[in-house]
């Protein structure tokens, strides 16, 4: 009886062990299945209610269709998110990146982009939470998530946490400008202007950071250190723009900026590069979507002028001014063109050019180009 | 394993409750506009084509127009920037019956200016002992002279203060210590309906333009009071035309304690200006070197409302500027005439970013002895995604001041509108600071302070030698072991004017001691200690 019960207990124990093993196996398999299912299905693409931009609309639609065709593929979903981000459709970008990080929590790119769009929307706490997760999955040589998080920590007064992230960033990539800037800012926040000056007053750093931002910080540091004259000098060399810190994906996001705004920007870029055939091509394409845009019409006329088609350019400028009699930008362009063309150098024609520039100053007394051009005309 | 760790971390980080930092105290501010007879809607006139003044404008003043020792309400009205039928949209004046109930007396008051209004400021410009009104408009500004009974006459032409440009905030102050009030007027952009531009939102629907779309920041105007009811435009001579921006907020205070009042102008997306008074009726902009032109990230922000106050009891005037969503407030801490960006350490950096803030100002709203902030919010551009009935509406925010210049958000809840100017004052005389809030195309709020923490208070009403409420006096006193500085000022905030009475929260202290008043002409006057609950009137010696 005792043996039988012992055997039963033994059998029972074995069965329980087997049961536990099976349960663990089952749970594991279920987890794997859930994860596989999650990845193989994935949520449907986030789509906007209405997009009027004729270039942006089909681009979004193409990426969203690609997401729905293959919900487990990370690339189309990231590209859709970046397209929203590039178009400043931050809420849609945030929703899309949230889907991405749920599917691929081990990929830092999702957490980083999510944090950036959350920050753009003023949700700095959420941005820091997202990026804090991102830092845990950042590759060994990638410092950007750490210094970006540190900069946000500084903005919100969490200096010790900022220092920890900067230490990690420094180990991953020593002496990046962002780490030096952040350390300078911490020194300022901690009322240690001497240390801030020591960190920031380096020619290499000053030239590496755009828009004279280091001079701003030095201006603050010198002032805090009681060196008012040095502070004034530093501020006089400082820029008035906020520096933008590029991260490993900035260029990718830029490449996803599409739409009429992006096309206008590209026309201007090509104009600056003097690539007139490309300007012509882009303008022609632009006009198929929006033939009334005054900026592009102005660029079109400028292109004519640059290519020697003066009469055509003049006609286009004059038409633009007739439509908007306060368009001082076109007036200045017209005056400049007239100053270049020989037939407009007679006293009568010069007085007309002067009249155009005087009108510009009447409409916009602060216009900086008109007085310079007028001076040039008077000297002639 | 890695994934499990990640999910765990998600929980830890993702579930951390930022709300735990918020204080929940209800009810604190209760809107009693309707039951108190205060019925006003700021009409934007918004139609299919957006005109910028429709989204930027709207100011409020709390003042005693008829000398009966209670606070009346003046509301600037909009209307339509393109329709000449503006007569249907006068500014409104509401008289207080002494208990905080109001009657609309616009028609009989002469105060119903019918321009498309932006803001208002108050002061006794003619030294006749009553408070006058200066209205900033999209077109010509208007000066309304009070006859002392709450009846007003338009004296703009005689006084010579009809700046024709789109003005925003303004401030009366005695810049040259000659005993009369001069006038600083911030102008926003050189704007007229025919230069309005098309700025589509992401959805393609036309929306309000960013100020930089016009590339037309307007120069401000400084009027010097001639002392005979007229003013001289001294903008060029005084130096305030040296630099300019898209001016929205103005506040006056002596930032370097040299005895002369300085002027801070908050500019929209451009460097701010800090006009340092040179003592000879000229000014030099020292914003950049003083550290208040941009924030510590190097960016000019979309400055709207602004105010000066000593928030950390170091005896120096600190400065707040509220900004656009995505940008934190800027709390600049005075270090003795120059400033450090103290926003991160104050706690304001995380609180403020979610909203586009306009009206603001430091006041003790719970009578605990520390200055709090109310912020009236509302977008200037439509959000993407689903559009609610009012796409510009946002929650207003109440921020509680703590010792050492720290702040924490108070959970307010309630309805959302697009709010602009606010004015502080105790409209029902119960010893708690109330707030009037102007809303775009929605009823204005009359927020009655329930003083939930039941802190004690003392009240100090200062009258100048002409018998009018004093401007720009400084009061220093001891509260417990603290040396406190408070300012007597109507200006500050956004396009609005507050009651200048000094309302001092004292918590559970028995009163304040060592009270010293520095009047705007630098004369000093010590007065006897004030006890909890006491309201005292002090007249400046002639």
């Amino acid at each position: 009886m005792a043996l039988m019960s012992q055997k039963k207990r033994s059998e029972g124990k074995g069965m329980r062990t087997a049961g536990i093993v099976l349960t663990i196996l089952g749970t594991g398999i279920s987890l794997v299945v859930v994860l596989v299912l999650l990845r193989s299905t994935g949520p449907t693409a986030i789509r906007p209610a209405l997009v009027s931009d004729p270039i942006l609309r089909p681009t979004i639609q193409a990426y969203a269709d690609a997401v729905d065709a293959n919900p487990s593929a990370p690339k189309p979903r990231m590209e859709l998110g970046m397209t929203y981000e590039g178009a400043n459709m931050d809420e849609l970008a945030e929703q899309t990146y949230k889907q991405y990080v749920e599917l691929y929590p081990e990929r830092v790119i999702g957490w980083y982009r999510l944090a950036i769009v959350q920050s753009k929307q003023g949700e700095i706490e959420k941005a820091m939470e997202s990026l804090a997760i991102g830092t845990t999955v950042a590759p060994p040589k990638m410092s950007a998530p750490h210094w970006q998080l540190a900069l946000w920590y500084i903005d919100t007064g969490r200096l010790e946490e900022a220092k920890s992230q900067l230490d990690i960033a420094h180990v991953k990539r020593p002496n990046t400008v962002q780490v030096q800037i952040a350390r300078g800012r911490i020194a300022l926040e901690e009322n240690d202007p001497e240390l801030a000056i020591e960190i920031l007053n380096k020619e290499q750093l000053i030239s590496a950071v755009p828009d004279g931002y280091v001079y701003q910080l030095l201006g603050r540091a010198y002032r805090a250190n009681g060196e008012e004259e040095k502070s004034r000098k530093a501020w006089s060399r400082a820029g008035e723009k906020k520096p933008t810190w590029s991260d490993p994906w900035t260029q990718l996001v830029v490449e996803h900026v599409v739409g009429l705004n992006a096309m206008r920007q590209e026309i201007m870029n090509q104009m600056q590069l003097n690539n007139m055939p490309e300007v012509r091509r882009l303008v022609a394409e632009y006009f198929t979507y929006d033939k009334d845009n005054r900026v592009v019409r102005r660029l079109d006329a400028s292109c004519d002028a640059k290519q020697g088609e003066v009469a055509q350019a003049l006609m286009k400028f004059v038409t633009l001014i007739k439509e908007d009699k306060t368009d001082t930008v076109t007036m200045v362009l017209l005056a400049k063109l007239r100053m270049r063309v020989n037939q407009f150098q007679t006293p009568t024609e010069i007085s007309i050019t002067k009249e155009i520039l005087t009108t510009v100053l009447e409409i916009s007394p602060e216009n900086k180009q008109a007085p310079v051009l007028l001076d040039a005309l008077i000297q002639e | 394993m890695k994934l499990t760790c990640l999910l765990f971390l998600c929980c830890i980080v993702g579930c951390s409750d930022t709300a735990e930092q918020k204080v929940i105290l209800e009810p604190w501010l209760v809107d009693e506009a309707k039951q108190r007879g205060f019925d006003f809607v700021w009409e934007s006139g918004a139609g299919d084509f957006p005109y910028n003044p429709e989204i930027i404008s709207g100011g409020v003043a709390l003042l005693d127009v008829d000398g009966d020792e209670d606070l009346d309400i003046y509301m600037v009205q909009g209307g339509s920037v393109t329709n000449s039928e503006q007569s249907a949209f006068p500014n409104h004046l509401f008289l207080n019956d002494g208990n905080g109930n109001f009657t609309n007396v616009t028609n009989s008051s002469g105060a119903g200016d019918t321009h498309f209004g932006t803001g208002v400021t108050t002061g006794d410009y003619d030294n006749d002992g009553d408070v006058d009104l200066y209205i900033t408009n999209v077109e010509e500004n208007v000066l309304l002279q009070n006859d002392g009974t709450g009846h007003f006459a338009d004296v703009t032409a005689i006084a010579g203060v009809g700046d024709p440009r789109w003005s925003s905030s303004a401030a009366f102050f005695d810049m040259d210590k000659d005993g009369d009030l001069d006038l600083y007027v911030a102008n926003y952009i050189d704007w007229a309906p025919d230069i309005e531009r098309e700025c589509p939102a992401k959805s393609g629907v036309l929306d309000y333009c960013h100020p930089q779309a016009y590339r037309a920041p307007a120069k401000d105007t400084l009027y010097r009071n001639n002392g005979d009811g007229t003013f001289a435009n001294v903008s060029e001579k005084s130096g305030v035309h040296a630099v300019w921006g898209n001016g929205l907020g103005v506040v006056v205070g002596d930032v370097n304690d040299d005895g002369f009042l300085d002027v801070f102008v908050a500019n929209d997306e451009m460097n701010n200006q800090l006009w340092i008074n040179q003592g000879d009726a000229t000014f030099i902009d020292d914003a950049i070197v003083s550290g208040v032109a941009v924030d510590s990230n190097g960016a000019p922000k979309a400055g709207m409302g602004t105010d000066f106050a000593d928030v950390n009891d170091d005896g120096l005037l600190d400065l707040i500027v509220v900004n656009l969503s995505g940008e934190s407030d800027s709390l600049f801490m005075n270090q003795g005439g120059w400033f450090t960006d103290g926003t991160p350490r104050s706690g304001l950096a995380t609180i403020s970013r979610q909203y586009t803030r306009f009206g603001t100002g430091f006041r003790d709203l719970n009578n605990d002895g520390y200055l709090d902030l109310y912020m009236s919010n509302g977008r200037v551009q439509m959000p993407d995604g689903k559009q609610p009935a009012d796409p510009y509406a946002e929650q207003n925010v109440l921020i509680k001041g703590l010792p050492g210049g720290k702040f924490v958000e108070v959970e307010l809840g309630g309805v959302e509108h697009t709010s602009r100017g606010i004015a502080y004052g105790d409209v029902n005389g119960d010893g708690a600071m109330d707030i009037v809030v102007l809303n775009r195309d929605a009823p204005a709020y009359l927020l009655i302070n329930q003083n939930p923490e039941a802190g004690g208070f003392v009240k100090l009403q200062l009258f100048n030698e002409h018998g009018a409420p004093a401007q720009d006096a400084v009061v220093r006193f001891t509260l417990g072991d603290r040396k406190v500085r408070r300012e007597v000022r109507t200006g500050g905030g956004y396009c609005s004017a507050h009651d200048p009475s000094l309302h001092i929260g004292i918590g559970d202290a028995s009163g304040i001691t060592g009270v010293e008043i520095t009047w705007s002409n630098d004369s000093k006057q010590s007065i006897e200690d004030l006890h909890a609950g006491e309201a005292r009137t002090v007249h400046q010696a002639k």
Side-chain angles (χ1 to χ4, degrees):
Chain A
M1 185 70 179
L3 273 174
M4 270 180 72
S5 61
Q6 194 177 357
K7 191 179 173 186
K8 270 185 183 171
R9 275 203 302 274
S10 174
E11 278 173 358
K13 195 177 172 185
M15 282 176 74
R16 272 202 304 276
T17 309
I20 290 167
V21 169
L22 278 173
T23 307
I24 291 170
L25 268 175
T27 310
I29 289 164
S30 306
L31 264 175
V32 170
V33 168
V34 166
L35 282 171
V36 168
L37 275 175
L38 194 66
R39 284 203 172 183
S40 64
T41 56
T44 55
I46 302 293
R47 291 174 190 262
L50 178 70
V51 180
S52 64
D53 189 305
I55 301 175
L56 184 59
R57 193 189 317 123
T59 308
I60 288 173
Q61 194 173 329
Y63 282 129
D65 290 347
V67 169
D68 289 343
N70 189 2
S72 63
K75 197 176 172 200
R77 201 177 298 272
M78 179 50 64
E79 291 195 300
L80 179 63
M82 285 183 167
T83 305
Y84 288 138
E85 190 182 344
N88 291 321
M89 300 166 90
D90 295 326
E91 278 182 33
L92 298 167
E94 183 180 1
Q95 290 170 38
T96 304
Y97 290 143
K98 275 182 177 168
Q99 289 181 336
Y100 188 94
V101 299
E102 275 178 31
L103 290 165
Y104 310 102
E106 74 282 12
R107 294 183 185 215
V108 64
I109 184 174
W111 294 110
Y112 201 106
R113 299 314 326 155
L114 175 61
I116 292 291
V117 294
Q118 286 171 328
S119 157
K120 274 172 74 183
Q121 294 173 90
E123 295 171 336
I124 191 73
E125 290 279 359
K126 285 184 188 169
M128 289 189 291
E129 287 170 14
S130 299
L131 197 52
I133 301 168
T135 58
T136 64
V137 291
K141 294 287 177 192
M142 185 181 280
S143 66
H146 303 281
W147 55 249
Q148 178 59 73
L149 183 58
L151 287 170
W152 284 336
Y153 281 149
I154 295 168
D155 284 346
T156 51
R158 294 161 66 171
L159 300 185
E160 292 309 315
E161 290 159 278
K163 285 179 195 171
S164 302
Q165 289 301 326
L166 290 174
D167 288 345
I168 300 169
H170 183 67
V171 168
K172 288 187 166 187
R173 280 191 67 195
N175 284 323
T176 59
V177 291
Q178 293 89 346
V179 169
Q180 291 178 72
I181 290 289
R183 285 186 167 156
R185 281 189 59 193
I186 289 173
L188 277 172
E189 288 289 331
E190 292 186 330
N191 206 17
D192 190 348
E194 281 184 24
L195 177 61
I197 293 164
E198 189 186 318
I199 294 168
L200 298 166
N201 194 13
K202 291 174 186 151
E203 202 48 53
Q204 208 178 352
L205 179 66
I206 291 167
S207 56
V209 179
D211 301 320
Y213 177 54
V214 179
Y215 282 121
Q216 276 194 24
L217 295 177
L218 279 170
R220 290 179 196 278
Y222 284 127
R223 188 80 197 235
N225 209 33
E227 299 175 83
E228 195 173 332
E229 199 44 47
K230 280 189 178 178
S231 171
R232 285 187 186 278
K233 269 190 186 167
W235 275 110
S236 71
R237 301 173 78 176
E240 292 184 1
K241 280 186 186 168
K242 180 180 180 174
T244 46
W245 307 113
S246 56
D247 57 61
W249 305 284
T250 301
Q251 190 52 39
L252 263 178
V253 177
V254 170
E255 285 166 15
H256 283 80
V257 177
V258 290
L260 291 176
N261 282 341
M263 192 180 249
R264 276 201 299 273
Q265 191 57 51
E266 184 56 21
I267 295 170
M268 285 185 232
N269 293 343
Q270 293 301 328
M271 189 76 114
Q272 276 177 358
L273 294 170
N274 224 11
N275 185 358
M276 291 306 137
E278 184 61 7
V279 172
R280 285 258 179 254
R281 188 191 71 73
L282 288 168
V283 166
E285 188 183 340
Y286 191 98
F287 282 156
T288 63
Y289 300 113
D290 178 9
K291 61 179 170 30
D292 298 325
N293 187 281
R294 295 180 61 82
V295 175
V296 180
R297 285 168 65 198
R298 218 180 276 141
L299 290 165
D300 180 39
S302 298
C303 185
D304 287 344
K306 280 198 174 191
Q307 292 199 307
E309 295 165 17
V310 176
Q312 204 165 306
L314 284 170
M315 195 183 68
K316 286 177 182 173
F317 282 141
V318 169
T319 308
L320 280 163
I321 295 166
K322 273 184 184 168
E323 286 172 12
D324 179 1
K325 292 184 176 58
T326 64
D327 183 357
T328 54
V329 178
T330 307
M331 287 179 203
V332 168
L333 288 171
L334 175 62
K336 277 184 177 173
L337 180 58
R338 289 175 62 90
M339 287 169 74
R340 286 212 322 261
V341 177
N342 281 339
Q343 72 184 83
F344 296 126
Q345 305 315 311
T346 64
T348 315
E349 293 297 341
I350 288 175
S351 70
I352 293 172
T353 310
K354 279 182 187 167
E355 207 173 304
I356 294 168
L357 292 167
T358 310
T359 309
V360 170
L361 285 172
E362 278 167 13
I363 297 167
S364 174
E366 283 87 39
N367 189 293
K368 285 176 182 158
Q369 291 189 67
V372 177
L373 295 172
L374 268 174
D375 277 352
L377 276 175
I378 289 161
Q379 276 171 20
E380 278 173 18
Chain B
M1 181 62 189
K2 196 173 166 187
L3 187 63
T4 315
C5 286
L6 266 175
L7 291 171
F8 179 61
L9 189 64
C10 286
C11 263
I12 292 175
V13 182
C15 301
S16 69
D17 186 8
T18 53
E20 71 192 4
Q21 292 172 4
K22 292 182 181 176
V23 173
I24 299 174
L25 272 175
E26 288 185 74
W28 189 329
L29 299 167
V30 176
D31 181 17
E32 297 183 7
K34 201 172 177 184
Q35 57 266 46
R36 289 179 180 270
F38 174 54
D39 178 17
F40 179 83
V41 173
W42 190 83
E43 304 282 352
S44 73
D48 292 339
F49 191 87
Y51 291 96
N52 210 299
E54 296 164 0
I55 196 69
I56 293 293
S57 307
V60 187
L62 271 172
L63 72 165
D64 180 4
V65 296
D66 50 359
D68 63 353
E69 299 184 357
D70 56 33
L71 288 176
D72 311 303
I73 305 174
Y74 189 76
M75 302 297 289
V76 170
Q77 182 56 286
S80 166
V81 284
T82 53
N83 189 343
S84 56
E85 289 302 311
Q86 267 291 115
S87 57
F89 301 103
N91 296 346
H92 284 222
L93 177 63
F94 295 87
L95 281 191
N96 191 332
D97 69 354
N99 295 312
N101 299 308
F102 291 87
T103 307
N104 190 334
V105 295
T106 305
N107 292 339
S108 59
S109 69
D113 178 47
T114 55
H115 290 88
F116 191 103
T118 311
V120 56
T121 195
T122 58
D124 179 16
Y125 85 95
D126 52 359
N127 281 336
D128 64 353
D130 55 45
V131 186
D132 309 299
L133 293 163
Y134 185 73
I135 322 297
T136 56
N137 291 316
V138 172
E139 293 172 315
E140 188 187 59
N141 297 340
V142 169
L143 178 63
L144 297 177
Q145 185 185 39
N146 191 347
D147 70 356
T149 66
H151 294 90
F152 292 83
D154 184 343
V155 293
T156 313
I158 301 164
V161 289
D163 194 322
R165 289 167 299 170
W166 180 10
S167 305
S168 50
S169 295
F172 280 113
F173 72 118
D174 185 359
M175 70 174 180
D176 46 11
K177 292 189 178 293
D178 63 352
D180 52 38
L181 291 175
D182 309 297
L183 177 62
Y184 191 98
V185 182
N187 290 316
Y188 186 44
I189 45 182
D190 279 320
W191 186 92
D194 58 356
I195 72 149
E196 189 53 82
R197 291 165 195 273
E198 292 187 10
C199 299
K202 290 154 199 165
S203 63
V205 176
L206 284 182
D207 202 356
Y208 295 103
C209 294
H210 188 284
Q212 302 294 49
Y214 307 96
R215 295 185 183 180
K219 291 179 179 179
D220 295 345
T221 307
L222 180 62
Y223 293 107
R224 187 174 188 170
N225 194 328
N226 295 322
D228 58 0
T230 67
F231 290 78
N233 186 335
V234 294
S235 310
E236 284 290 345
K237 201 170 139 190
S238 64
V240 304
H241 273 185
V243 286
W244 61 95
N246 303 312
L248 283 179
V250 171
V251 64
V252 171
D254 184 2
V255 299
N256 51 4
D257 285 318
D258 65 351
F260 289 95
L261 292 167
D262 310 302
V263 181
F264 176 80
V265 183
N267 287 320
D268 193 356
E269 298 290 357
M270 296 179 77
N271 280 8
N272 301 317
Q273 266 96 50
L274 178 59
W275 293 109
I276 299 294
N277 192 332
Q278 303 299 298
D280 57 358
T282 66
F283 292 80
I284 292 175
D285 175 31
D286 204 34
I288 289 177
V289 180
S290 295
V292 296
V294 295
D295 73 354
S296 58
N297 271 311
K301 292 178 180 170
M304 267 90 79
T306 181
D307 201 15
F308 279 130
D310 176 13
V311 299
N312 58 349
D313 294 342
D314 64 355
L316 302 167
L317 282 187
D318 308 305
L319 171 67
I320 189 163
V321 189
V322 297
N323 302 298
L324 201 66
S325 66
E327 301 172 338
S328 71
D329 295 332
S330 289
L331 180 64
F332 295 110
M333 305 303 291
N334 196 331
Q335 307 297 321
W338 62 281
F339 296 80
T340 54
D341 187 345
T343 320
R345 270 184 272 186
S346 69
L348 286 172
T350 45
I351 297 170
S352 53
R353 288 171 190 254
Q354 287 183 45
Y355 308 106
T356 295
R357 292 91 62 201
F358 278 84
T360 194
F362 291 110
R363 290 294 185 281
D364 186 350
L365 297 169
N366 57 346
N367 288 345
D368 67 348
Y370 296 101
L371 294 171
D372 311 300
L373 288 160
Y374 182 84
M375 292 182 190
S376 56
N377 306 325
R379 297 182 187 91
V380 287
Q381 284 170 332
M382 290 179 199
D384 51 343
K386 197 180 169 190
Q387 300 293 321
D390 178 358
Y392 306 101
E394 284 184 329
Q395 183 77 65
N396 292 346
V397 174
L398 180 54
I399 297 168
K400 183 177 162 168
L402 303 172
K406 309 266 187 207
F407 293 89
V408 64
E409 187 179 353
V410 177
E411 194 77 70
L412 263 188
V415 291
E416 288 185 2
H417 289 110
T418 306
S419 301
R420 292 298 179 250
I422 66 165
Y424 291 118
D426 180 6
V427 298
N428 57 351
D430 66 350
M433 188 62 70
D434 309 307
I435 312 172
V436 179
V437 183
L438 179 141
N439 291 315
R440 178 186 186 265
D441 296 325
Y445 306 143
L446 175 54
L447 300 177
I448 300 298
N449 192 332
Q450 310 298 308
N451 192 13
E453 294 179 345
F457 71 97
V458 298
K459 191 173 175 182
L460 204 47
Q461 283 183 288
L462 305 186
F463 289 91
N464 64 21
E465 55 190 332
H466 306 289
Q471 289 264 37
D472 302 309
V474 179
V475 178
R476 293 179 175 86
F477 55 89
T478 301
L479 172 61
D481 58 357
R482 296 167 54 204
K483 299 283 184 194
V484 181
R485 170 182 180 163
R486 293 285 180 265
E487 304 280 306
V488 175
R489 184 189 302 126
T490 62
Y494 183 75
C495 297
S496 297
H498 312 290
D499 171 29
S501 303
L502 207 53
H503 182 100
I504 302 166
I506 59 169
D508 55 6
S510 59
I512 61 172
T513 59
V515 185
E516 184 190 68
I517 302 162
T518 305
W519 300 92
S520 60
N521 65 355
D522 285 343
S523 64
K524 293 190 190 317
Q525 184 175 350
S526 294
I527 61 169
E528 285 182 15
D529 298 347
L530 278 93
H531 304 288
E534 184 180 351
R536 191 180 299 170
T537 301
V538 180
H539 290 269
Q540 184 179 12
K542 288 193 178 177

